[in-house]
Amino acid sequence: MREFTSEEVSIRHAEMLELRRAGKLNLGMDIDIAAKILDTPGLGPTTTTANAAGHFWNWIALGALVYSVYLSFTWHWWAFIPGLIVTRVIRGANKILNSQNYLDAAMVDENFYERIRSVGGWLYEMAPETVDGLTNKQVV
């Protein structure tokens, strides 16, 4: 198995689903791409709540940071330190969960899958022989 980007191999949604069901393809996404999708209006999925979940947890992280700074002024000066740690943990987990949510969304939202494919956001793990058998091949 080898990893290909959507810039190396172009696979339409229907063909990706077929290969995935056959166990010949694993779809993936870099967590940095997931963060960019979350921050770019109109790029995320429309049939799932993946974007809403990502924004929700970003607001929770920001709230934890703001509350810890407030506590550092009203309670103990060092209260912001645990707040920084909690914020970092929430943001890191949110990046990973966003990419997983977007992978789930790609299975049901063809338009979302195609938007991300057009900007080169997908990673495909498959055997080189599978790439040779693709009908819509664009191997770079």
Side-chain angles (χ1 to χ4, degrees), residues 55-75:
H55 288 299
F56 173 77
W57 286 109
N58 280 343
W59 280 107
I60 294 295
L62 179 63
L65 179 63
V66 168
Y67 185 65
S68 70
V69 170
Y70 165 77
L71 287 178
S72 71
F73 283 106
T74 61
W75 183 51

Side-chain angles (χ1 to χ4, degrees), residues 8-101:
E8 294 174 310
V9 177
S10 181
I11 303 174
R12 292 184 327 272
H13 186 257
E15 192 168 21
M16 181 274 298
L17 288 177
E18 182 182 315
L19 289 169
R20 197 164 185 318
R21 282 189 206 110
K24 296 180 178 181
L25 178 139
N26 288 321
L27 186 65
M29 174 183 281
D30 187 74
I31 61 172
D32 293 329
I33 297 288
K36 288 178 186 173
I37 293 169
L38 184 64
D39 294 337
T40 307
L43 198 55
T46 55
T47 60
T48 67
T49 58
N51 267 3
H55 288 299
F56 173 77
W57 286 109
N58 280 343
W59 280 107
I60 294 295
L62 179 63
L65 179 63
V66 168
Y67 185 65
S68 70
V69 170
Y70 165 77
L71 287 178
S72 71
F73 283 106
T74 61
W75 183 51
H76 291 290
W77 68 268
W78 49 264
F80 74 95
I81 296 170
L84 287 173
I85 294 168
V86 167
T87 299
R88 179 112 168 111
V89 167
I90 292 172
R91 296 267 304 163
N94 194 28
K95 276 185 166 182
I96 293 168
L97 291 174
N98 277 342
S99 64
Q100 292 172 352
N101 288 341

Side-chain angles (χ1 to χ4, degrees), residues 106-121:
M107 299 303 131
V108 295
D109 190 343
E110 181 177 354
N111 292 329
F112 169 65
Y113 173 83
E114 294 297 336
R115 277 194 305 274
I116 303 307
R117 182 173 72 107
S118 69
V119 296

